[in-house]
Amino acid sequence: MKLEKVTSESRRRYDDACGTAHGLELIGERWALLIVRELMLGPRRFGDLRASLPGLSANVLTQRLEGLEAAGVVVRRRLPPPASVQVYDLTDWGREAEPVISELGRWAARSPGHDPTLPLSPVSMMLSFRTMFDAGKAGDARMTLGFRFGEETFVVEVADGALTARRGDTNGADVVVASPPEAVAAVVYGGGPVDGLAIEGRRAVFERFADFFELPAKAG
């Protein structure tokens, strides 16, 4: 029996007119969707991306970024002075993939095999807040929270039944949490003790905030 020669190009193409198939051709290679996820909250340097995805080699990261650039999902640019460093950012169209990432995450969280104790990147933590936020539980709450993960800082605001999460200075936040993402997730999604977190400011604000989220029920 003659075996078909499988090339890298044929692996990337499905020869299928379905938009889902083409979507997989664009961002379905291993690591590609996670790179898109890490860029959802703004531009990152190459080294930042590697630090957030420790299992990804520099060589594969370079290949995936080149592929995403060629597809029009990612753009490379240089920040203005005084930074003057090269960064990667999502195009406007690339940023439209956030609902795909969110819904995939919500769907996969129902898997009995999902392990929420595995490592979690800071961006993943912030996007999970956007995905799992329950406006009904938040009610009329108004609060601003800061999250500090090493050198990365984020601001989460809850108001009028909506949640926003962005990179930003935590000055002026009602409360600042300075613990690893995994520790924060253990409290928010696992019901762990708040006492284990490094919290600055109004602890009661974070305790209320932690009640606004819930992982979906497991399938089956």
Side-chain angles (χ1 to χ4, degrees), residues 126 129-130 133 156-159 161-165 209 212-213:
M126 294 299 107
F129 287 157
R130 291 184 181 182
F133 177 69
V156 175
E157 294 179 303
V158 177
L163 178 147
T164 61
F209 174 80
F212 298 163
F213 309 89

Side-chain angles (χ1 to χ4, degrees), residues 27 31-44 48-56 65 68 73-74 89-90 94-95 97-98 100-102 104-105 118-128 130-131 152 154 167:
I27 57 175
W31 296 107
L33 191 58
L34 297 187
I35 293 170
V36 173
R37 179 197 72 190
E38 290 302 312
L39 294 173
M40 274 297 161
L41 295 185
R44 310 289 303 279
D48 295 333
L49 289 170
R50 280 212 69 195
S52 296
L53 299 167
L56 175 58
L65 286 169
L68 291 168
V73 177
V74 166
D89 199 1
L90 294 176
R95 202 163 282 109
E98 181 173 352
V100 176
I101 294 173
S102 296
L104 179 61
L118 291 173
L120 194 66
S121 78
V123 171
S124 293
M125 187 77 259
M126 294 299 107
L127 293 182
S128 80
R130 291 184 181 182
T131 301
E152 295 189 76
F154 300 85
R167 294 184 184 278

Side-chain angles (χ1 to χ4, degrees), residues 13-194:
R13 298 193 62 82
Y14 295 97
D15 293 324
D16 188 321
C18 174
T20 301
H22 186 54
L24 289 173
E25 291 171 357
L26 296 171
I27 57 175
E29 293 240 39
R30 189 164 189 247
W31 296 107
L33 191 58
L34 297 187
I35 293 170
V36 173
R37 179 197 72 190
E38 290 302 312
L39 294 173
M40 274 297 161
L41 295 185
R44 310 289 303 279
R45 295 174 299 180
F46 186 92
D48 295 333
L49 289 170
R50 280 212 69 195
S52 296
L53 299 167
L56 175 58
S57 70
N59 183 49
V60 173
L61 176 56
T62 298
Q63 293 175 14
R64 295 297 175 268
L65 286 169
E66 289 176 350
L68 291 168
E69 281 189 85
V73 177
V74 166
V75 63
R76 185 178 356 184
R77 59 187 177 84
R78 185 167 293 275
L79 293 179
S84 296
V85 296
Q86 179 177 281
V87 295
Y88 295 88
D89 199 1
L90 294 176
T91 61
D92 290 341
W93 176 57
R95 202 163 282 109
E96 291 176 17
E98 181 173 352
V100 176
I101 294 173
S102 296
E103 289 308 311
L104 179 61
R106 182 187 295 277
W107 174 76
R110 298 193 63 215
S111 164
H114 174 236
D115 185 354
T117 66
L118 291 173
L120 194 66
S121 78
V123 171
S124 293
M125 187 77 259
M126 294 299 107
L127 293 182
S128 80
F129 287 157
R130 291 184 181 182
T131 301
M132 302 298 178
F133 177 69
D134 187 328
K137 291 184 177 182
D140 60 357
R142 301 184 69 88
M143 58 181 66
T144 301
L145 302 93
F147 291 87
R148 190 163 60 241
F149 305 122
E151 296 182 355
E152 295 189 76
T153 57
F154 300 85
V155 176
V156 175
E157 294 179 303
V158 177
D160 302 321
L163 178 147
T164 61
R166 58 180 173 80
R167 294 184 184 278
D169 195 321
T170 60
N171 289 335
D174 299 314
V175 61
V176 176
V177 181
S179 293
E182 296 85 358
V184 176
V187 173
V188 173
Y189 299 118
V194 177

